[in-house]
């Protein structure tokens, strides 16, 4: 009978578990954002299905894919704290309000464009739940100063290259002109006729005489 009572208790608990509304912590993030400066702001909204609002929770931001990620900042919010600022790997600011946390990451550059994932850990009320968002791709565009400097550098480089090309062409032209003038002078000197009379041989040739006898 004792074992039968334990089995009946197990069946009742199992049925209550099936009838209990699903408890899940869903995190919603924008798929991607384009930051026009070195500050990126994105939202991490959460939906605590089957429960009331989160009274105490920890939210962290991870850079990179799950398993290869790096925690760049984290906040701990409750019913009295709704704004925090922290500096870990990056400088971050967080505002918690109306089932969402707005996070601003400061001081990032174009090389830090990556996938940023929100992770929320529910501390209270129990039970403890941890959940990850799908992540937000943050793309950082270079600011106006960097673009202007790049443009100035390119313009200066083009001017230097143009003057260098002109100098090289001028040098080649002068060299070719000098070579042509020199060659022309050599041809003209070869056209002079040698007016010196031909030299005669010192001895005279003796002619062949044939004598006839009478």
């Amino acid at each position: 009978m004792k074992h039968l009572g334990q089995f009946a208790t197990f069946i009742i608990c199992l049925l209550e578990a099936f009838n209990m509304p699903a408890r899940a912590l869903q995190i919603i993030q924008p798929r991607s954002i384009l930051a026009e400066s070195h500050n990126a702001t994105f939202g991490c909204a959460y939906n605590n299905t089957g429960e009331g609002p989160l009274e105490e929770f920890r939210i962290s931001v991870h850079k990179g894919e799950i398993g290869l990620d790096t925690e760049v900042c984290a906040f701990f919010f409750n019913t009295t704290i709704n704004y925090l600022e922290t500096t870990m790997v990056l400088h971050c600011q967080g505002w918690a309000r109306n089932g969402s946390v707005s996070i601003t990451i400061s001081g990032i550059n174009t090389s830090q464009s990556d996938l940023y994932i929100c992770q929320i850990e529910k501390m209270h009320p129990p039970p403890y739940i941890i959940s990850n968002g799908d992540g937000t791709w943050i793309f950082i565009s270079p600011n106006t100063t960097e673009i202007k400097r790049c443009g100035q550098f390119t313009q200066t480089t083009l001017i230097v290259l143009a003057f260098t090309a002109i100098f090289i062409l001028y040098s080649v032209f002068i060299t070719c002109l000098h070579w042509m003038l020199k060659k022309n002078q050599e041809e003209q000197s070869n056209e002079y006729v040698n007016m010196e009379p031909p030299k005669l041989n010192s001895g005279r040739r003796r002619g062949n005489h044939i004598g006839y006898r009478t």
Side-chain angles (χ1 to χ4, degrees), residues 20-199:
M20 187 181 299
R23 293 182 178 180
L25 183 60
Q26 183 183 10
I27 303 176
I28 304 170
Q29 295 184 235
R31 182 169 296 274
S32 64
I33 62 171
L34 176 63
E36 298 295 338
S37 63
H38 295 303
N39 299 326
T41 300
F42 62 100
C44 295
Y46 59 86
N47 183 14
N48 192 21
T49 306
E51 293 286 341
L54 300 182
E55 296 180 7
E56 293 182 2
F57 65 95
R58 181 182 186 269
I59 181 170
S60 55
V61 178
H62 298 255
K63 177 178 178 288
E65 299 285 349
I66 296 295
L68 301 174
D69 58 290
T70 301
E71 186 176 281
V72 296
C73 56
F75 308 95
F76 184 84
F77 294 107
N78 55 32
T79 55
T80 59
I81 300 175
N82 58 6
Y83 171 79
L84 285 173
E85 188 171 351
T86 181
T87 300
M88 295 172 58
V89 178
L90 297 172
H91 182 77
C92 302
Q93 296 172 306
W95 295 266
R97 56 182 179 273
N98 300 327
S100 177
V101 179
S102 178
I103 298 174
T104 297
I105 304 176
S106 304
I108 54 179
N109 51 44
T110 53
S111 64
Q112 292 171 311
S113 297
D114 207 330
L115 180 67
Y116 289 80
I117 300 173
C118 290
Q119 182 184 84
I120 294 181
E121 302 171 69
K122 189 183 76 167
M123 305 296 184
H124 189 78
Y128 171 82
I129 299 177
I130 183 171
S131 182
N132 295 324
D134 293 331
T136 299
W137 284 99
I138 299 180
F139 301 98
I140 311 298
S141 61
N143 58 22
T144 306
T145 305
E146 291 179 350
I147 296 175
K148 186 176 180 181
R149 289 179 179 176
C150 181
Q152 289 178 349
F153 176 77
T154 305
Q155 185 178 3
T156 304
T157 305
L158 290 176
I159 293 175
V160 172
L161 291 175
F163 275 106
T164 303
I166 293 173
F167 176 77
I168 292 175
L169 292 175
Y170 178 76
S171 300
V172 172
F173 174 75
I174 294 298
T175 303
C176 293
L177 182 63
H178 177 73
W179 179 79
M180 292 176 63
L181 291 175
K182 185 176 180 180
K183 185 178 181 181
N184 190 23
Q185 290 178 354
E186 290 177 354
E187 291 178 353
Q188 289 180 357
S189 62
N190 292 332
E191 290 178 356
Y192 286 112
V193 180
N194 189 2
M195 303 300 295
E196 183 180 357
K199 295 181 180 180

